[in-house]
Amino acid sequence: MTKALFTLDAVLEATGGRAQDVEASEINSISIDSRELGPDALFVAIKGDRFDGHDFVDTALANGAVAALVSEGNGKGKGRIVVQDALGGLRDLARAARQRNRGFIVGVTGSVGKTTTKEALRTIFEAAGQTHASIKSFNNHWGVPLTLARLPESAQFGVFEMGMNAPDEIRPLSQMVRPHVAVITAVAPVHLEGLGSTEAIARAKAEIFDGLEPGGTAVLNADHQHLTQLMDAAKAAGVANIVTYGFSRGVDWQILDAQSAGEQSFATIQHAGERFAMTFAIPGRHMLSNATAALAVAHLAGVSPEEGLRALAGLRAQAGRGQRRPLGPAEKPLVLINESYNANPVAVSAALSVFADVDAPGGRKVLVLGDMLELGDQAEALHAGLNEAVRASGATRVHLVGPHMAALAAALPAALVASHFRTAEEAEDVIIADLAYGDAVMIKGSNGVGLSRIVNALVARFEHS
């Protein structure tokens, strides 16, 4: 018989809450969305920027939640567990879940690559034992405690992604997760609006070291200019061990002979005098870097490189993060590369380098690029700076979306720019009308630009021939 995630008594002990007509004695899932409830669900009524979960408590209970964790002053009605603050209560459950677990816990942050690295780790660990990992990009002030609160006591491995867009956001998350290994995938010009410089971004990422368990390890990408800053921060935080990886010479896990062909990536990985062949089905040097980070972390957890590489052979790109999808007739499909979830100068340049190797069945290669958000005063220059990477990608037509993309439109040859709109809604019909079977199209932009609506419209139009 599977052990409950939490008993009601354990929830009350962890949160200091009081039960109000709660009939259930066990909680087996936790949700903050009244539309997505697992078995024996506890609905946590957190207040967000747009919605207050307390407005959906009755809906959640009607939809099958066995109890709702609510803030003081919202306790009228049955099935409530009343705490001072619902989000604080969720954090209390997260700490309780972490306290009882004896598995190997990993925290992952970085300007780019953290979600793919997390998925690579999930892939390796799932082949080795019971694994719990962040879903989607649940990496913020509510996503991390929600994921941690869901950690089963019996999980052998846990992988937690941590994001930020301002100082002092990663530290409390890491102190909650208490990882045995902290990974920083890269430092790049992302969130400049809130941080001002890449040096400040590196400092914010280094906050992850403050939650490391005693004797823990920092795993650091060496292929950026802030490696020394991160290593110094790790040592200042008392980190016992530092492991490096990347393409740079002299690192602990070095990537050699990197290649991409079609939808495959290949490399030789050198570690401790040995060499290993890596292959998986996501193209790009940046993806090889992410996979190597996972290999290094898994080795620290006792998974051999051979075991890790076998598991990584099954790694696939996710929707919104490089997933490649042929639409329509097999003999001449429209090839969609969906990169619509996030964008920053490093990520866009990496995606464009992958697009350079994409073959279009009918010869046309089309780019849809949306604004890169949160770049502050450097936004115009960084958008314009993409122009060489766009030209090198082999794109024959470029559609641009967002006000900052005006800078890139001005930097590109006028004949290459097919359209420029301020919003995805305005651009949608024009872009869909411009595409045809046989084209290859990459859609890349920050999630807030809303390019996913163009992806969805494109799939609806071209999926069936």
Side-chain angles (χ1 to χ4, degrees):
M1 184 175 179
T2 303
K3 188 175 182 179
L5 182 62
F6 285 101
T7 64
L8 176 61
D9 288 343
V11 171
L12 298 178
E13 181 180 356
T15 63
R18 68 177 188 276
Q20 187 166 290
D21 295 322
V22 176
E23 297 179 1
S25 60
E26 292 184 350
I27 300 296
N28 284 304
S29 62
I30 300 174
S31 177
I32 61 170
D33 190 331
S34 62
R35 301 163 300 179
E36 298 179 1
L37 300 169
D40 303 317
L42 173 67
F43 173 71
V44 182
I46 67 172
K47 187 173 183 178
D49 295 332
R50 294 183 298 165
F51 301 104
D52 186 342
H54 294 94
D55 296 334
F56 301 93
V57 169
D58 290 334
T59 300
L61 294 171
N63 287 348
V66 296
L69 191 71
V70 301
S71 301
E72 194 70 59
N74 296 274
K76 295 181 179 179
K78 296 182 178 180
R80 270 72 166 172
I81 298 172
V82 184
V83 294
Q84 183 175 355
D85 172 70
L87 180 56
L90 180 62
R91 291 172 178 148
D92 290 335
L93 288 175
R95 294 185 188 95
R98 176 65 183 91
Q99 181 65 34
R100 68 190 182 185
N101 179 269
R102 294 295 178 265
F104 187 87
I105 305 299
V106 182
V108 182
T109 192
S111 301
V112 292
K114 54 185 175 290
T115 299
T116 302
T117 301
K118 178 256 299 180
E119 287 302 312
L121 278 165
R122 182 208 296 271
T123 299
I124 294 174
F125 284 150
E126 284 181 343
Q130 184 182 358
T131 300
H132 180 74
S134 305
I135 62 171
K136 303 177 183 177
S137 285
F138 280 19
N139 63 19
N140 62 2
H141 66 288
W142 58 260
V144 173
L146 176 61
T147 303
L148 186 57
R150 292 169 168 175
L151 175 69
E153 183 175 356
S154 57
Q156 296 166 265
F157 304 99
V159 188
F160 298 86
E161 181 180 335
M162 302 179 202
M164 62 90 200
N165 52 27
D168 301 316
E169 292 184 348
I170 287 180
R171 182 177 295 106
L173 301 180
S174 184
Q175 290 173 338
M176 191 183 307
V177 171
R178 291 168 34 219
H180 299 100
V181 175
V183 184
I184 300 182
T185 59
V187 174
V190 183
H191 307 308
L192 287 172
E193 192 170 58
L195 289 138
S197 69
T198 54
E199 289 79 10
I201 292 168
R203 283 195 298 273
K205 295 299 182 185
E207 292 174 17
I208 195 171
F209 303 141
D210 293 337
L212 263 181
E213 286 284 86
T217 302
V219 174
L220 307 177
N221 183 353
D223 298 328
H224 58 84
Q225 63 181 353
H226 296 287
L227 176 63
T228 300
Q229 182 183 352
L230 293 180
M231 294 180 78
D232 289 345
K235 292 171 185 175
V239 176
N241 308 293
I242 299 174
V243 172
T244 55
Y245 70 93
F247 295 89
S248 302
R249 294 184 63 180
V251 297
D252 297 306
W253 294 78
Q254 186 177 0
I255 307 167
L256 305 169
D257 307 322
Q259 299 178 55
S260 291
E263 297 184 45
Q264 298 285 320
S265 285
F266 311 90
T268 299
I269 309 301
Q270 180 172 280
H271 171 67
E274 295 188 78
R275 293 191 174 192
F276 308 93
M278 175 185 286
T279 302
F280 57 90
I282 313 176
R285 285 171 61 89
H286 58 304
M287 294 300 182
L288 286 166
S289 181
N290 298 333
T292 302
L295 199 66
V297 172
H299 187 254
L300 293 167
V303 179
S304 72
E306 293 84 358
E307 292 175 290
L309 289 162
R310 279 197 296 272
L312 284 171
L315 185 64
R316 298 291 185 272
Q318 296 177 289
R321 299 181 184 276
Q323 186 181 74
R324 196 173 300 196
R325 184 174 177 182
L327 303 172
E331 65 277 8
K332 192 179 179 182
L334 182 147
V335 178
L336 167 64
I337 302 171
N338 181 3
E339 287 268 11
S340 62
Y341 189 79
N342 68 346
N344 58 67
V346 172
V348 174
S349 295
L352 290 172
S353 70
V354 171
F355 194 54
D357 293 327
V358 172
D359 292 324
R364 281 202 329 168
K365 295 176 64 172
V366 182
L367 282 174
V368 178
L369 298 177
D371 273 2
M372 304 178 292
L373 302 180
E374 299 181 26
L375 296 180
D377 294 342
Q378 299 181 47
E380 306 307 316
L382 290 170
H383 282 79
L386 295 174
N387 100 88
E388 291 299 330
V390 169
R391 296 183 198 213
S393 74
T396 54
R397 293 176 69 75
V398 181
H399 294 274
L400 302 173
V401 181
H404 292 307
M405 277 296 166
L408 179 57
L412 289 172
L416 189 58
V417 180
S419 72
H420 176 216
F421 291 93
R422 291 186 64 84
T423 69
E425 184 177 7
E426 294 169 347
E428 180 182 326
D429 290 343
V430 171
I431 292 172
I432 299 302
D434 186 48
L435 293 168
Y437 291 115
D439 291 345
V441 56
M442 174 182 281
I443 300 178
K444 179 76 172 174
S446 289
N447 192 41
V449 179
L451 296 186
S452 58
R453 69 176 292 144
I454 295 175
V455 171
N456 294 335
L458 193 154
V459 171
R461 165 64 180 82
F462 289 97
E463 186 170 26
H464 303 291
S465 57

